[in-house]
Amino acid sequence: MWPTTFPAARLMLWGLWIAAPFASTFLAPDLSTSQLTQMFQDFMRQFNKTYLSQEEMQYRFKVFVQNLEVSRRLQAEELGTAQYGVTCFSDLTESEFAMMFGIPQPSQLGLPPSLRDSDNSRLGKLTKSCDWRKAGVIPAVKYQGKKCRSCWAFAAVSNIEALWNIHRHVPRNLSVQEVLDCTYNKIGCLGGYVWDGLRTVFNSSGLSSSRLYPYTGRNQTCQKHQKRTVTQIDGYELLPRDENYIARILASQGPVTALLNQARLQNYQKGIIQSPSQSCNPMRLDHAALIVGYDEVKSRRGSWVGPYWIIQNSWGERWGEKGYFRLHRGTNTCGIAMFAATAIVRDSGGKKPVLCRP
Ligand SMILES: *[C@@H]1O[C@H](CO)[C@@H](O)[C@H](O)[C@H]1NC(C)=O
Ligand SMILES: *[C@@H]1O[C@H](CO)[C@@H](O)[C@H](O)[C@H]1NC(C)=O
Ligand SMILES: *[C@@H]1O[C@H](CO)[C@@H](O)[C@H](O)[C@H]1NC(C)=O
Ligand SMILES: *[C@@H]1O[C@H](CO)[C@@H](O)[C@H](O)[C@H]1NC(C)=O
């Protein structure tokens, strides 16, 4: 019997002939067919990829080569320090990637809450830097899976978990599935918005734990925390489209969620993304993630200089910078300032909140 899946080792045998037809069409002029085949084998090994048939593997190889071309274009456009190339998503076409991870534009499923007058008492000073990871309050990087467009629910839950660490000194692992099920009953995997998730948590007096209400990554009926311990929030808000304001809230209160254009993330490896708005449209917002800090690269002769955001994603630790990415701050890069939102968790029990040290 032939094995039903094709691991990397088997590619060796026929790699040369499958690569040949593509060599002239897509290829980077400086990569030979055997180099590409080698890269694809390394990719399969590194990310433990197997394919169901030889045809499938051949097709995925073609997509892989196309993604190398896309990476080359992104690299040429890049204004920051980001590097693009092979990632765990290199065998997905752009439209497959959008189907798996993209969420609908904010107008498509309803509008965000209107911006109230800002509550300036929650604003801190604009410090030079803040990285909440160093304070030990950021939950581990999560993995949403490829079958559910749940980034918005993950961002909302990680936001609440971090805020509970900072303001209540209580670590919690909260239920993403409850946010998915109870915000958009039976269609949560279609995608949604952080503010709707936060409203659901606020309005339904809390969220149960991930142990009691585990993540399945499927559309389900809302099973509102039956007899379960819940974690409540004191409110939620949409922040002004002002990156200094967002940084000040972040430094004084904790991580905030944001929507952004994910166009550069499929092939992102590491570094600080900065791109002209025409190649990362700030009006096309199809991803949600959690901003956990900010910093800047100080002047160094001949190298890139500037402020940036530190952002936690929900695509596992094997993606990006151990699950994180960095994005230029101050120019609304990829729309990051458009719809920043956060839960509100107040201090309680006379304890001081955790501080974000530079
Ligand atoms: C690799 O994938 C195979 C099949 O999908 C799975 O059985 C195995 O546990 C995976 N190994 C690792 C290290 O992830
Ligand atoms: C949350 O989950 C992590 C990883 O599974 C675990 O190490 C930690 O102890 C859990 N925390 C709580 C409060 O349950
Ligand atoms: C969830 O429901 C939507 C709408 O019916 C559907 O398009 C989507 O494929 C479903 N996703 C999963 C993972 O069941
Ligand atoms: C809030 O909850 C109440 C019942 O608990 C429900 O009737 C109402 O529709 C909810 N509002 C929103 C905006 O979800």
Side-chain angles (χ1 to χ4, degrees):
M1 283 293 286
W2 292 100
T4 51
T5 59
F6 287 75
R10 292 182 55 82
L11 180 61
M12 199 90 90
L13 303 172
W14 51 276
L16 289 174
W17 69 261
I18 63 162
F22 308 112
S24 51
T25 2
F26 311 104
L27 288 202
D30 48 353
L31 286 175
S32 70
T33 302
S34 66
Q35 277 171 318
L36 286 164
T37 310
Q38 183 62 49
M39 283 171 82
F40 189 57
Q41 280 177 39
D42 292 345
F43 159 79
M44 287 181 70
R45 245 182 244 113
Q46 183 183 355
F47 298 109
N48 193 25
K49 300 277 181 182
T50 52
Y51 300 109
L52 290 175
S53 66
Q54 197 153 317
E55 289 70 31
E56 174 73 2
M57 181 154 59
Q58 189 168 342
Y59 177 64
R60 294 297 152 192
F61 177 74
K62 178 179 145 185
V63 173
F64 177 84
V65 173
Q66 282 165 346
N67 272 315
L68 290 180
E69 275 302 300
V70 171
S71 300
R72 169 187 279 274
R73 178 173 56 74
L74 294 176
Q75 201 64 63
E77 289 168 3
E78 177 61 30
L79 302 174
T81 66
Q83 289 179 24
Y84 304 93
V86 177
T87 70
C88 50
F89 302 129
S90 290
D91 59 351
L92 300 176
T93 65
E94 203 177 320
S95 61
E96 284 171 325
F97 187 74
M99 282 300 292
M100 286 172 186
F101 299 106
I103 58 174
Q105 289 285 332
S107 54
Q108 287 175 11
L109 288 180
L111 291 167
S114 55
L115 198 59
R116 282 167 299 161
D117 282 341
S118 336
D119 171 7
N120 290 333
S121 68
R122 289 169 30 80
L123 270 183
K125 281 200 291 262
L126 183 62
T127 53
K128 275 222 165 65
S129 65
C130 157
D131 183 350
W132 282 108
R133 294 176 299 181
K134 293 180 186 162
V137 298
I138 302 299
V141 171
K142 300 175 173 80
Y143 180 62
Q144 68 183 75
K146 289 182 175 174
K147 299 206 167 81
C148 187
R149 302 186 217 170
S150 49
C151 58
W152 60 279
F154 277 91
V157 164
S158 295
N159 175 233
I160 299 170
E161 288 172 342
L163 294 175
W164 263 71
N165 274 329
I166 293 167
H167 298 277
R168 302 279 167 89
H169 304 269
V170 180
R172 291 277 159 94
N173 290 329
L174 301 174
S175 175
V176 173
Q177 193 66 39
E178 182 176 344
V179 174
L180 273 178
D181 297 350
C182 302
T183 304
Y184 307 106
N185 204 13
K186 294 187 189 162
I187 60 161
C189 289
L190 210 54
Y193 307 124
V194 172
W195 50 83
D196 286 342
L198 295 176
R199 181 179 57 217
T200 302
V201 176
F202 181 58
N203 192 40
S204 66
S205 38
L207 203 53
S208 37
S209 71
S210 56
R211 194 175 50 80
L212 292 169
Y213 199 148
Y215 184 65
T216 62
R218 289 196 299 267
N219 296 317
Q220 294 178 176
T221 307
C222 174
Q223 304 150 38
K224 235 188 81 49
H225 45 74
Q226 304 131 349
K227 305 180 260 123
R228 291 163 173 177
T229 50
V230 293
T231 302
Q232 178 56 305
I233 59 176
D234 298 309
Y236 62 97
E237 63 178 352
L238 195 68
L239 303 178
R241 290 173 177 168
D242 170 347
E243 285 175 86
N244 282 339
Y245 189 101
I246 295 168
R248 290 171 66 190
I249 280 283
L250 184 139
S252 67
Q253 303 298 320
V256 303
T257 72
L259 287 186
L260 73 153
N261 180 339
Q262 69 177 7
R264 305 182 98 71
L265 301 184
Q266 180 180 1
N267 296 291
Y268 169 84
Q269 293 178 321
K270 61 181 179 179
I272 299 162
I273 299 170
Q274 184 185 10
S275 60
S277 58
Q278 61 269 26
S279 71
C280 196
N281 184 352
M283 304 302 284
R284 186 179 181 280
L285 303 165
D286 54 359
H287 187 48
L290 187 72
I291 309 180
V292 301
Y294 59 88
D295 202 344
E296 60 186 84
V297 176
K298 308 219 174 50
S299 80
R300 245 185 284 136
R301 201 181 292 268
S303 68
W304 186 89
V305 165
Y308 60 87
W309 294 113
I310 304 163
I311 307 173
Q312 188 191 58
N313 212 344
S314 50
W315 298 344
E317 287 186 348
R318 294 214 281 186
W319 178 84
E321 299 181 324
K322 297 193 161 64
Y324 290 81
F325 63 104
R326 288 176 294 159
L327 196 76
H328 183 247
R329 172 166 58 99
T331 52
N332 193 25
T333 300
C334 300
I336 193 71
M338 299 300 281
F339 289 102
T342 180
I344 297 172
V345 173
R346 299 214 170 84
D347 303 340
S348 78
K351 275 191 173 172
K352 291 231 161 66
V354 179
L355 295 179
C356 195
R357 299 185 197 283

